[in-house]
Amino acid sequence: MSGRKRAAPGAQKAGKRIRVGSVVRVKAEADNPVPTPSSSRNVSKASVRERFIALLSEPQYKAGAPNKVIQEKFSQKDEQKYLVDAINELSRESRLHMSKSGADNQLFYTLVADEVAQKYHGLDVSDRLVLQVIEKAGTKGIWTKEIRIQTNIHPQPLNKIFKHLEQRRLIKPVKSVTAKAKKLYMLYELSPSKEITGGVWYSGLEFDHEFISELRTFVIQCVKKLNEGKGVTLAEIKGKMKQVEVSKVELSLEEIQQLVQTLVYDHLIEEGSVTANGEVRYVAARRISTMCEFKWWDALSPDFHFRAIRFEDGVTLGPHELHHHTA
């Protein structure tokens, strides 16, 4: 008989034969699936884009969401892959603005409104770069030379970009009263600041001497006639100007103060009393000095500088004495 032993009866029924050294794969139960990182959230390209837009639309991120927050909100590997696609798509649609800020030069993402995105649609990288530099300058504008330095774009292609952006009504050229030969650029919808236009004192790029002379005369009349000549405040002068429409452009209190100050420097008016509200009243200037006893032709005398001059109020000015006397 052979040396082989038979298996015990019923052994084959107990289960399948298992070959020695084989690997057994354990199938997970259908009711208890093995959890995966993305199983708790339905991750898709569309859902990541939607969540990214929703995040940037939150009030605290209207001015921009830092990259650190974005990475925390989209930390899973498959989310990050779709996030890159969403950023690229929104950038191509001009709906996403990226900038660096802060001491650590951190990257920020800002969602652009649909109407603004329509204006920027179709611009290439160089166009956007120039537009961003001009946008940062605000109402003060920026010189063409400074734009060239910041963008590192040569003059010829830069001029083509200027022309393209002007045609799209995204920027406009502006001249400054301080440098009429140079050209500034600012966003099309902005109005130049007073530093650029010179404010109400300039007509075009020229100092309006006639207009200022008329206003100065009007202020002197207000000082002499309003309140019986006992003093007038800046607010009262402003109110009278508005009433008689002396100027087509309404002057601010600051501008009226500048106008009044020129009259003070010319010693045509001076500060008087102060109201209960702390407002200064301006009155007509007094004479610098009282009348003295000598006649104008006495000044032609060779020994005039050696004479003493006596004034009506009793003050005597000695020879070569500096005259600091005022009424």
Side-chain angles (χ1 to χ4, degrees):
M1 292 184 63
S2 172
R4 293 181 181 178
K5 295 182 180 180
R6 289 176 178 263
Q12 294 181 5
K13 295 180 181 180
K16 295 181 178 180
R17 291 184 180 180
I18 300 175
R19 185 176 297 172
V20 178
S22 63
V23 177
V24 179
R25 295 183 179 180
V26 180
K27 186 177 180 181
E29 295 291 336
D31 295 337
N32 298 301
V34 177
T36 61
S38 60
S39 61
S40 59
R41 183 184 292 140
N42 183 21
V43 178
S44 66
K45 183 177 180 179
S47 66
V48 169
R49 176 189 166 106
E50 184 179 344
R51 285 170 47 213
F52 182 58
I53 293 175
L55 176 65
L56 298 184
S57 300
E58 293 181 11
Q60 65 268 35
Y61 299 130
K62 285 291 184 182
N67 187 54
K68 182 179 179 181
V69 172
I70 302 298
Q71 295 303 319
E72 290 175 355
K73 297 291 184 179
F74 300 89
S75 58
Q76 301 300 333
K77 186 176 180 180
D78 49 356
E79 289 178 327
Q80 292 180 353
K81 180 185 69 173
Y82 292 136
L83 177 63
V84 173
D85 293 337
I87 291 173
N88 290 335
E89 287 179 1
L90 291 171
S91 297
R92 285 194 296 269
E93 296 169 7
S94 303
R95 294 193 59 198
L96 188 66
H97 175 68
M98 291 178 284
S99 60
K100 290 186 177 181
S101 181
D104 54 353
N105 209 24
Q106 187 175 184
L107 182 63
F108 282 79
Y109 296 89
T110 307
L111 190 65
V112 179
D114 290 340
E115 58 272 15
V116 178
Q118 287 296 325
K119 292 171 60 177
Y120 296 159
H121 184 69
L123 300 181
D124 60 21
V125 176
S126 297
D127 292 338
R128 292 171 186 271
L129 179 60
V130 172
L131 193 59
Q132 287 177 8
V133 171
I134 295 174
E135 184 179 7
K136 288 180 182 178
T139 58
K140 292 184 178 180
I142 182 170
W143 303 109
T144 54
K145 181 180 179 181
E146 188 63 28
I147 297 173
R148 188 170 67 249
I149 293 173
Q150 291 191 28
T151 60
N152 199 28
I153 300 176
H154 294 292
Q156 188 173 356
L158 185 60
N159 288 332
K160 290 183 179 179
I161 293 173
F162 287 150
K163 187 176 181 180
H164 181 212
L165 296 178
E166 286 182 56
Q167 290 174 344
R168 292 280 298 269
R169 293 191 174 184
L170 295 174
I171 65 172
K172 61 182 176 183
V174 179
K175 289 188 177 181
S176 171
V177 295
T178 59
K180 301 174 185 178
K182 294 183 178 180
K183 188 184 289 185
L184 289 162
Y185 276 101
M186 65 177 55
L187 293 184
Y188 185 82
E189 64 272 14
L190 297 182
S191 297
S193 64
K194 291 180 180 179
E195 291 85 352
I196 303 300
T197 63
V200 296
W201 313 130
Y202 282 77
S203 178
L205 296 176
E206 301 297 330
F207 192 70
D208 200 337
H209 294 276
E210 184 179 352
F211 175 63
I212 294 171
S213 179
E214 291 176 359
L215 291 178
R216 278 166 53 95
T217 301
F218 181 82
V219 171
I220 292 174
Q221 294 301 315
C222 288
V223 170
K224 291 181 177 179
K225 295 181 179 180
L226 292 181
N227 303 329
E228 300 179 352
K230 294 180 181 179
V232 62
T233 64
L234 295 176
E236 289 172 329
I237 295 173
K238 177 179 171 65
K240 193 64 176 177
M241 281 184 172
K242 187 175 181 179
Q243 179 185 350
V244 301
E245 297 180 349
V246 68
S247 171
K248 294 181 180 179
V249 181
E250 185 175 350
L251 274 67
S252 65
L253 283 176
E254 181 184 357
E255 290 163 343
I256 294 174
Q257 171 71 57
Q258 294 172 357
L259 193 66
V260 166
Q261 201 62 45
T262 65
L263 296 170
V264 172
Y265 290 149
D266 290 342
H267 202 72
L268 295 173
I269 64 175
E270 62 185 25
E271 294 184 2
S273 59
V274 179
T275 67
N277 296 329
E279 296 179 279
V280 176
R281 290 192 181 98
Y282 291 91
V283 297
R286 297 170 295 171
R287 289 184 300 176
I288 294 179
S289 62
T290 58
M291 297 297 291
C292 56
E293 61 185 12
F294 74 88
K295 308 300 181 185
W296 67 266
W297 52 81
D298 289 334
L300 302 177
S301 177
D303 63 344
F304 174 75
H305 295 291
F306 299 97
R307 297 182 187 182
I309 303 173
R310 187 175 177 357
F311 292 87
E312 290 178 350
D313 57 359
V315 176
T316 301
L317 184 67
H320 303 291
E321 182 180 349
L322 295 176
H323 187 194
H324 296 294
H325 175 64
T326 58

